[in-house]
Amino acid sequence: LPHPIANIFGHGGYLIYRFSDAAGTPIERVAIDGRTNLISKELWSAYSAAARGARNWRDYLALVKPETILWREESPLVSILLAENHWCLIFESGAEKAKTSVFVKREYFESRKSELSSLNCS
């Protein structure tokens, strides 16, 4: 999936691991992770707004500039993204209360339609 990835707080550690080489050196940046002492107030505030689906939810996306969004389905942001025309839901996984949704930009989905399916983009 294309980078950068906007992720929820709880997925950052795994993404750091997943996007590192064999020596443990990160290859891709992670938007937010559990190292709270490294998260700026601006980023935390923007992330918090996105997680709650607040009016300024776009601030987090403006800071991260994601091509992919990895988000918990219980968050209002998932419903917001489904209602927009810009993001395509391409994957869901997990138990009901911990289901994770994967969105990509519509342009990416359109360019890979033969390989991907989407619940909200055709």
Side-chain angles (χ1 to χ4, degrees):
L1 297 172
H3 293 264
I5 295 176
N7 61 285
I8 62 168
F9 183 75
H11 289 155
Y14 172 75
L15 292 176
I16 290 172
Y17 166 76
R18 184 69 176 94
F19 299 138
S20 295
D21 64 18
T25 305
I27 298 167
E28 297 287 345
R29 291 195 56 169
V30 173
I32 197 165
D33 62 65
R35 299 172 298 167
T36 55
N37 59 323
L38 301 178
I39 300 170
S40 71
K41 289 181 183 179
E42 177 188 26
L43 180 61
W44 183 255
S45 177
Y47 165 76
S48 184
R52 291 187 329 270
R55 194 174 315 152
N56 57 335
W57 65 269
R58 286 184 176 89
D59 293 353
Y60 182 63
L61 301 188
L63 288 170
V64 175
K65 298 175 181 44
E67 296 294 318
T68 301
I69 298 176
L70 178 64
W71 214 260
R72 279 269 165 79
E73 193 168 284
E74 65 197 21
S75 168
L77 183 62
V78 170
S79 295
I80 292 169
L81 295 175
L82 286 169
E84 287 218 326
N85 195 30
H86 191 65
W87 294 96
C88 297
L89 176 62
I90 61 166
F91 185 74
E92 295 176 304
S93 181
E96 267 319 297
K97 293 200 174 205
K99 190 178 283 188
T100 299
S101 299
V102 179
F103 291 86
V104 294
K105 283 188 174 175
R106 180 174 283 279
E107 296 82 19
Y108 181 80
F109 174 76
E110 294 292 338
S111 73
R112 308 284 298 265
K113 251 184 175 173
S114 63
E115 303 167 62
L116 301 171
S117 61
S118 174
L119 299 175
N120 67 317
C121 297
S122 54

